[in-house]
Amino acid sequence: MPIQPSFAVFLLCAISLVIPSGFSLGAAMLVLGALALLLPSAPRVRLQREDWLLVAVLAGYFGLHVLLNLIHHAPGRQYDAPARFLLAIPALLLLRAWPPHPAALWHGAAVGAIGAGLLSLWQWLALALDRPGGSTNPIQYGNISALLAVLSACGLARAIQLRQSLPWKLLPAAGVLLGLAACLLSGSRGSWLALPCCALLAAWLLLRAGQGRLLLKLGAAGLVAIAALALLPNSPLTARARQAMTEADHYTRSANADSSVGARLEMLRVGLHLAPQHLLLGWGKEGMMQAKQQMVREGLASPSVEEHTHLHNEYLDAVVKHGLPGLLAVLALYLLPLQLFARRLCQAGSREARLAAAGGMMLMLSYLAFGLTQAFLTHNNGVMMLAFLMVILWSLAQEQPVSPANTA
C-alpha cells in the first residue's frame, strides 16, 4: 500500500488550522495522487452501490449549482466552492484503491486539535484577542476545532479499544481537551451546538456496546467540566451565553439589529421575506444582495444586514439563493451520507470500520448543527473539510484486510 494517501490524510487534519489554508495541501495530494490510478499497474477500483450514491451526491451538488449559477449569470468565483465537491471524487477513487492507514486520520486529527488549541491560547494570552481565530474567521475556526476535537475523541476510543500504550492515549486525549479549548475561546456559539449532537450519538454507541457504567462516568465528568467552565471568572462560555440572551432580548423589544445575535435574527426575518418570492430558482447571490439593499433603502430592513453575503443559516441561505432545489441539494449532501454511514455502522464487522462509520455520522451531524447559525458551505475551509473528510471516513468505513499495520 503506498504511503502517500496516508500522509495526505494526516496532513489534511494536522495542519488544517495552524497554517493558512493548511487543509489544502492534503486535499491537493489526494486529488493529484488519483492520477496514479491511470497507471497500468494500479489496482482496479470496484465501486459498490453505496460508493456510487456518495459520488452521485457530490457530483449532483456541483451540477445543480453550475446550472443555477448559469441561470443567474453568476460570476466565475461562485463556481469555486461547488467545484471542491467534484474534486473529492478522484480522492475517493484513490482512497478506495489504496485505503489510508486508520491511524493517519485519528492521529492527524489529534495533532490538528492540539495545534488549534495552542494557537488559540497564544492569541488569547499573548495577543489579548477576545476571540482567537487563527488565520481565519473565529466562527469557522471554532467549527473546525470542534470537529477535530470530536475526531480526537474517536481516536481516543480507538486507542483504548486497542489497548495502546499511554502516549498513544494521551495524544488524542490532549486533542480533545485543546480542540474544545480552541472551540470555546473562539466564541463560536454555533459550534457548541454540534457537541451535544455528537455526545448523544456517542452515548447511544456506548449503551449499544454495553458500556453503561462508562457512560455514567463520562456524563458526570462532562457535567462537572461544564459547571466549572460556567463558574470560572470571566468564563468565555458564560459571557457569550449571557451576551446572546441580552442581544436577543434587545432585538425582540426594540428591533435592535446592531449586534451579533440581532443581525442574525434580522437576516432570518429578511430571508423569510425573500424566500417565498422566488421559491423555484431562488434569487441568486447577486440578486439576494440587491434585494437586501432595496429593503434597507426602503426602511424595511436594518443596515446591519446589507454587507453580509449569506444569511448565517445554511438552509435559509440555500432557499433564498437557489430556491427549493438548492435546499434539497444541501439536505441530500448532509442526510444521504449520514444514512450511508449509519448503515455501515450497523453492518461493519471490524472495529476500525465501525469507528470510522461513527466518525462519519459525527461529521454529518456536526455540519447539520453548524448550518443553523452559519452558512458554512459558502466558505472554502467549510467545503474542503466536509468534502474530503467525508470521502476519507467513507474509505475507512469499508472492511479492510486484517493486518498488524491496521492496528498500529
Side-chain angles (χ1 to χ4, degrees), residues 45-110:
V45 182
R46 296 174 181 263
L47 298 183
Q48 305 300 318
R49 176 178 175 273
E50 292 179 332
D51 298 314
W52 284 114
L53 286 174
L54 196 60
V55 169
V57 77
L58 293 169
Y61 185 89
F62 168 75
L64 177 66
H65 281 77
V66 167
L67 176 62
L68 292 172
N69 283 342
L70 289 172
I71 292 173
H72 292 299
H73 305 288
R77 63 180 178 273
Q78 292 188 30
Y79 294 84
D80 182 61
R84 308 306 172 103
F85 290 103
L86 195 66
L87 290 175
I89 295 176
L92 172 64
L93 298 178
L94 173 70
L95 294 169
R96 290 293 280 118
W98 291 293
H101 194 298
L105 174 63
W106 309 123
H107 293 170

Side-chain angles (χ1 to χ4, degrees), residues 68-69 72-75 77-78 274 281-293 307-310 317 320-322 378:
L68 292 172
N69 283 342
H72 292 299
H73 305 288
R77 63 180 178 273
Q78 292 188 30
L274 295 177
L281 297 175
W283 291 80
K285 181 180 177 181
E286 300 301 326
M288 182 196 74
M289 296 296 291
Q290 293 171 7
K292 285 198 303 174
Q293 292 167 3
E307 63 180 7
H308 295 280
T309 58
H310 60 81
D317 192 68
V320 173
K321 289 179 181 175
H322 301 121
T378 63

Side-chain angles (χ1 to χ4, degrees), residues 106-166:
W106 309 123
H107 293 170
V111 171
I114 291 170
L118 293 176
L119 179 58
S120 292
L121 288 170
W122 180 71
Q123 290 186 332
W124 187 51
L125 296 173
L127 302 183
L129 295 183
D130 290 334
R131 296 182 61 188
S135 60
T136 186
N137 185 284
I139 298 176
Q140 288 95 265
Y141 193 84
N143 288 350
I144 297 174
S145 295
L147 182 58
L148 292 175
V150 167
L151 293 178
S152 295
C154 293
L156 178 59
R158 176 180 183 269
I160 293 172
Q161 290 175 351
L162 294 177
R163 297 181 180 179
Q164 293 183 333
S165 59
L166 183 60

Side-chain angles (χ1 to χ4, degrees), residues 221-382:
L223 291 174
V224 169
I226 293 173
L229 286 172
L231 294 174
L232 279 175
N234 301 319
S235 167
L237 178 64
T238 305
R240 291 288 288 170
R242 188 183 298 115
Q243 181 185 9
M245 291 186 288
T246 300
E247 291 174 356
D249 181 65
H250 288 171
Y251 182 82
T252 55
R253 289 178 181 271
S254 59
N256 180 7
D258 295 325
S259 65
S260 176
V261 174
R264 279 171 168 78
L265 292 173
E266 181 72 350
M267 282 186 279
L268 177 64
R269 186 185 68 81
V270 169
L272 291 174
H273 173 77
L274 295 177
Q277 299 179 37
H278 293 283
L279 270 180
L280 183 58
L281 297 175
W283 291 80
K285 181 180 177 181
E286 300 301 326
M288 182 196 74
M289 296 296 291
Q290 293 171 7
K292 285 198 303 174
Q293 292 167 3
Q294 182 65 28
M295 291 182 68
V296 171
R297 284 195 296 267
E298 295 175 358
L300 300 176
S302 169
S304 65
V305 307
E306 192 171 2
E307 63 180 7
H308 295 280
T309 58
H310 60 81
L311 297 174
H312 278 273
N313 180 287
E314 197 76 71
Y315 315 105
L316 184 59
D317 192 68
V319 174
V320 173
K321 289 179 181 175
H322 301 121
L324 289 178
L327 175 62
L328 292 175
V330 171
L331 293 177
L333 184 67
Y334 290 163
L335 297 179
L336 179 59
L338 177 62
Q339 181 186 19
L340 292 176
F341 280 118
R343 188 181 303 170
R344 286 299 305 147
L345 180 64
C346 295
Q347 296 175 349
S350 71
R351 184 180 301 161
E352 296 283 10
R354 288 195 301 270
L355 186 62
M361 291 184 68
M362 291 184 182
L363 170 69
M364 307 318 301
L365 288 174
S366 296
Y367 268 77
L368 282 165
F370 296 156
L372 296 174
T373 59
Q374 169 78 331
F376 207 13
L377 296 183
T378 63
H379 298 281
N380 185 37
N381 48 15

